[in-house]
Amino acid sequence: MMEIRACVLIVFFVYQVFCVGAQEDAERGCVPGFQVKKHQVQYDGGFVVGVPLLRVDFNDCAGNEEVRFEVSHPDFEVDEERRLKPRRDVIDSGGVLFIHGQNAHSDDMAQVDIVGAPPRSPQTLREILGLGQLPYRKRRSLLVPPMFVPENQRPPFPRAIGMLEVSTTDLSGKVVEGPVALEVSVIDQNDNRPIFQEARYAGEVLEGSPTGTTVMTMTAYDADDPSTENAVLRYFITKQSPDKPSPNMFYIDPERGDIVTVISPTLLDRETLPTTQYELEIVAKDMAGSNVGLSGTTTATITITDKNDHAPEFTHSLFQASVDEGSTGVIVNLTVDDRDDPATGAWRAVYSIINGNVGQSFEVQTNPDNNEGMVSVVKPLDYENTAYHTLLIRVENEDPLVPNVGYGPSSTATVHVTVMDVNEGPVFFPDPMLVTKRENVPVGSFVATLNATDPDILQTQSIRFALLDDPAGWLTVNPVKGTVNTTAILDRESSFVHNNMYSAVFIAIDNGSPAATGTGTLVITLEDENDNPPYLYPSVARICEEAKDLNVMVVGGRDKDVFPNADPFKIELGKQPGLEKTWKVTTVNSTHSQVTLLHSLKRANYQLPLLVTDSGVPQLSNSTEIKVQVCTCKKNKMDCSSAWAVRGNLLWLGLALALLSVLYL
């Protein structure tokens, strides 16, 4: 009680000093201390370390030098920027905080109400006032023995588990003795069975594997305390299905859960075992396998996988096949036996022809559906050349055989191929046949003699010829001799001629049973003759009536014939008298010339006669009239309408000009 009264007196004295100082400062217009003495913050489940709650407003009316702040709750502080924030995550904040601000000129306290906060354990008076602690008398430490509680206790609850001593504090709130940690240990009970993650596991082991080969590892989990026997597991194989050839083909390591083979490699033969899959019932038991332990069960399926320990064997040593000459395709299927696992590389067959494939006329491929070898003719065979073929074929696997197994004599087979004779059609030689003729040769002229032979040399056959395709109808053929003659004029400029060549197709027919045919092409290259006169283009020209440029047009020559029966062309004025007084023609190049007026003409349409001549032997000429329109041109518009214009003929125009010149003279 003396200590409590002393604290109250000290507080009262401090309060008197502060009140006198505050009254003096108020008279000067400044009240030292917290300018806002009461704050509120909302409690929302706690406060996060470093996140400010609010900013305090403190003024000592003398510059605020060396101001110190203390908070009633030790987990809160006011930082250099005068922000109230938690030092760590705080849940037990209590409903009120007190902030003590102090320096040489001011000493004041502010209150922060935390709205909605759960109540905190009672605070001492010195903690509320933010005053320092008083010294205490040291006593001996408290001793609290640990307590042990078994899990899974049954009701009723609560129930006593032991006697607890507590720490003690004096009236100032300082701990006199304690606190002492109370250690309560929950004793584990074996209340969890071992659990496998999957209800069924799968593993593989290669046939012929050595005894002791690891197949797979089984792992179970127990939720009990791993430091006790409750979680110490042991593994057992309780059943093997089927149990042939031995009920103990596999063994499981009781501690690690590794399943290994026990059966000998010779008995672990996939092709002699009653099945390729074995099912094991695996049990995991805790309490180190004790009879009182709890257990969990799963199934492991082990597949005996295949290795290539059997070579493929042909079902027959000799296969027969026949094929018509001239045909291609599959002629025989080769069958094999292989005791390895189907649809694996140890079973799939690979065939090869190792002898007899002269000319590479045969090939063999694997049928993916049934593993048979398909022997095919890829180049047509000729009966007259070779009537029989003998092939030696080998079969292997995609995967190599194991070292102690090899390919035997039954891995090769012979194929006899008989070529059947067929009536083959006649063959033209050469094909195509190329000849050159001048165009315009007389009708009935000889062109060529066709050649065709029959491949069936072991038979005596005759051949007859006929036209199959003669686009222009220019040719005829003697059916026995094969001579080709003309029935019409050969015209190089015809639309049926392309690049100076004319093509016709002929057919040859033998007298076999049934008859066979063959076709051949005759290509005639036609030499040019000068049988086409040249012509001019364009046929129309326009010029303005008042034009200063009297160049009318550039005309060009064309000819259906080719060199030397075409250009260079000679282009000149027609033979009408007087044209040279109005018109002029000047050569530009070998095919074009410039037409020019010698003086302006009135608006009208004029016909200008021109003569063009080629360079053939003999030369051919052609007279052509070019229409020249003299038009009215205004504002970049050309009016060539001749409805009112006088249509003049250049012949009469020329005569009139000549007459005027005579009269003038």
Side-chain angles (χ1 to χ4, degrees):
M1 291 299 292
M2 291 297 294
E3 289 182 350
I4 295 176
R5 285 196 294 271
C7 289
V8 171
L9 291 175
I10 293 172
V11 172
F12 178 77
F13 172 76
V14 171
Y15 178 77
Q16 292 292 332
V17 173
F18 285 169
C19 288
V20 172
Q23 183 176 3
E24 294 176 354
D25 288 337
E27 294 175 356
R28 297 195 303 267
C30 178
V31 179
F34 289 96
Q35 304 302 300
V36 178
K37 299 185 182 293
K38 193 165 186 179
H39 302 269
Q40 279 191 348
V41 294
Q42 184 69 38
Y43 180 88
D44 189 15
F47 301 97
V48 180
V49 58
V51 178
L53 278 64
L54 53 88
R55 186 185 299 273
V56 298
D57 187 2
F58 185 90
N59 188 358
D60 69 345
C61 301
N64 288 339
E65 294 182 356
E66 297 181 357
V67 179
R68 300 181 302 278
F69 297 95
E70 294 181 5
V71 185
S72 60
H73 195 300
D75 292 332
F76 290 83
E77 66 177 354
V78 176
D79 62 14
E80 295 179 356
E81 297 180 12
R82 300 183 183 178
R83 296 178 301 179
L84 176 65
K85 61 182 182 181
R87 301 176 186 268
R88 63 176 182 84
D89 293 341
V90 178
I91 297 177
D92 184 17
S93 64
V96 63
L97 298 177
F98 294 92
I99 304 174
H100 182 200
Q102 181 183 18
N103 71 352
H105 303 284
S106 179
D107 192 339
D108 197 5
M109 188 173 294
Q111 178 177 334
V112 180
D113 294 329
I114 302 177
V115 179
R120 187 178 175 222
S121 55
Q123 299 170 298
T124 65
L125 178 61
R126 302 189 70 85
E127 183 180 0
I128 293 175
L129 297 178
L131 302 177
Q133 305 292 337
L134 295 176
Y136 62 91
R137 180 170 55 89
K138 185 175 181 181
R139 301 173 65 94
R140 65 183 182 85
S141 301
L142 297 174
L143 296 177
V144 179
M147 297 183 182
F148 299 91
V149 181
E151 67 170 331
N152 301 325
Q153 289 193 17
R154 296 181 179 179
F157 296 109
R159 62 167 61 196
I161 62 174
M163 183 68 68
L164 179 64
E165 295 181 43
V166 297
S167 62
T168 59
T169 61
D170 57 18
L171 292 178
S172 68
K174 186 177 181 68
V175 175
V176 178
E177 294 185 71
V180 178
L182 171 63
E183 181 178 329
V184 179
S185 298
V186 180
I187 303 175
D188 183 46
Q189 302 292 311
N190 191 19
D191 57 347
N192 291 279
R193 293 179 178 274
I195 297 176
F196 289 92
Q197 286 187 333
E198 300 179 20
R200 182 177 295 273
Y201 293 80
E204 295 180 349
V205 62
L206 187 66
E207 65 172 330
S209 295
T211 301
T213 299
T214 300
V215 181
M216 58 196 303
T217 299
M218 309 300 295
T219 304
Y221 299 91
D222 196 310
D224 290 320
D225 186 357
S227 64
T228 67
E229 292 286 309
N230 298 336
V232 178
L233 305 183
R234 294 293 183 267
Y235 299 91
F236 307 94
I237 299 176
T238 58
K239 183 180 179 181
Q240 173 190 304
S241 178
D243 59 359
K244 305 296 182 183
S246 167
N248 299 310
M249 296 175 60
F250 304 94
Y251 166 79
I252 188 169
D253 187 293
E255 295 185 7
R256 295 194 300 269
D258 297 336
I259 299 178
V260 298
T261 60
V262 180
I263 188 172
S264 66
T266 56
L267 293 179
L268 192 61
D269 185 356
R270 189 181 187 281
E271 287 74 34
T272 60
L273 290 173
T275 181
T276 59
Q277 284 190 339
Y278 287 84
E279 286 194 356
L280 305 180
E281 186 178 277
I282 309 296
V283 172
K285 183 177 290 187
D286 60 17
M287 299 295 292
S290 171
N291 291 334
V292 298
L294 302 178
S295 61
T297 305
T298 190
T299 301
T301 301
I302 299 177
T303 301
I304 313 300
T305 58
D306 187 38
K307 64 180 179 181
N308 197 10
D309 55 352
H310 295 88
E313 299 178 350
F314 282 102
T315 58
H316 305 284
S317 60
L318 176 65
F319 293 85
Q320 300 281 351
S322 61
V323 58
D324 290 339
E325 65 171 330
S327 64
T328 58
V330 177
I331 58 174
V332 65
N333 292 320
L334 311 180
T335 54
V336 295
D337 284 335
D338 195 320
R339 289 186 290 167
D340 291 314
D341 184 15
T344 66
W347 176 82
R348 288 190 291 269
V350 178
Y351 299 88
S352 58
I353 303 174
I354 59 177
N355 195 16
N357 193 13
V358 179
Q360 304 300 309
S361 297
F362 301 90
E363 72 175 19
V364 57
Q365 295 181 339
T366 304
N367 187 328
D369 297 328
N370 53 25
N371 217 30
E372 293 181 353
M374 303 181 296
V375 180
S376 303
V377 176
V378 294
K379 293 181 181 179
L381 303 175
D382 186 3
Y383 170 81
E384 286 74 21
N385 184 28
T386 303
Y388 300 96
H389 296 266
T390 300
L391 306 177
L392 185 61
I393 297 179
R394 178 172 59 197
V395 63
E396 300 172 293
N397 288 131
E398 287 185 0
D399 293 346
L401 293 173
V402 295
N404 58 338
V405 176
Y407 292 101
S410 56
S411 294
T412 59
T414 302
V415 179
H416 285 169
V417 181
T418 301
V419 182
M420 309 299 294
D421 186 26
V422 297
N423 185 25
E424 300 172 86
V427 178
F428 282 85
F429 181 83
D431 187 25
M433 176 178 283
L434 305 178
V435 298
T436 300
K437 296 293 178 182
R438 290 191 67 83
E439 67 172 333
N440 301 325
V441 296
V443 175
S445 297
F446 171 79
V447 177
T449 299
L450 302 178
N451 296 315
T453 58
D454 196 313
D456 301 304
I457 58 176
L458 301 181
Q459 303 178 32
T460 303
Q461 295 181 342
S462 61
I463 298 176
R464 296 179 65 85
F465 299 94
L467 261 170
L468 183 62
D469 185 22
D470 180 16
W474 290 345
L475 305 174
T476 184
V477 61
N478 186 294
V480 177
K481 297 180 180 180
T483 55
V484 179
N485 294 81
T486 63
T487 59
I489 298 298
L490 303 182
D491 184 7
R492 192 198 66 85
E493 290 76 33
S494 169
S495 60
F496 297 103
V497 177
H498 304 283
N499 296 326
N500 301 324
M501 292 183 292
Y502 177 76
S503 299
V505 181
F506 296 84
I507 186 171
I509 308 170
D510 66 17
N511 62 344
S513 180
T517 63
T519 59
T521 302
L522 173 65
V523 178
I524 305 172
T525 299
L526 294 175
E527 295 179 340
D528 186 41
E529 286 193 351
N530 194 18
D531 56 349
N532 292 277
Y535 60 93
L536 295 175
Y537 71 96
S539 60
V540 178
R542 291 179 176 179
I543 186 172
C544 291
E545 183 179 13
E546 302 296 333
K548 295 180 180 180
D549 183 2
L550 298 181
N551 289 326
V552 178
M553 64 187 303
V554 175
V555 293
R558 287 180 178 171
D559 199 320
K560 292 183 180 179
D561 295 318
V562 295
F563 180 84
N565 297 319
D567 59 294
F569 300 115
K570 180 181 180 182
I571 303 174
E572 55 188 337
L573 293 173
K575 302 303 181 182
Q576 293 88 337
L579 291 178
E580 68 280 0
K581 297 183 180 298
T582 304
W583 305 92
K584 181 181 179 182
V585 177
T586 305
T587 300
V588 176
N589 54 33
S590 63
T591 57
H592 291 75
S593 294
Q594 174 73 55
V595 177
T596 307
L597 276 171
L598 297 178
H599 56 80
S600 299
L601 295 178
K602 295 297 183 181
R603 174 176 175 176
N605 290 336
Y606 301 90
Q607 299 295 331
L608 174 63
L610 295 177
L611 181 66
V612 56
T613 304
D614 63 22
S615 298
V617 179
Q619 291 182 331
L620 295 180
S621 299
N622 187 12
S623 295
T624 303
E625 285 191 346
I626 303 299
K627 182 179 181 180
V628 179
Q629 293 181 300
V630 180
C631 308
T632 301
C633 300
K634 293 181 179 180
K635 296 182 180 179
N636 297 325
K637 291 184 179 180
M638 179 177 284
D639 183 6
C640 297
S641 174
S642 59
W644 58 269
V646 178
R647 294 182 55 87
N649 186 287
L650 288 178
L651 175 59
W652 296 106
L653 178 61
L655 292 175
L657 291 173
L659 180 58
L660 289 174
S661 63
V662 171
L663 293 176
Y664 179 77
L665 293 173

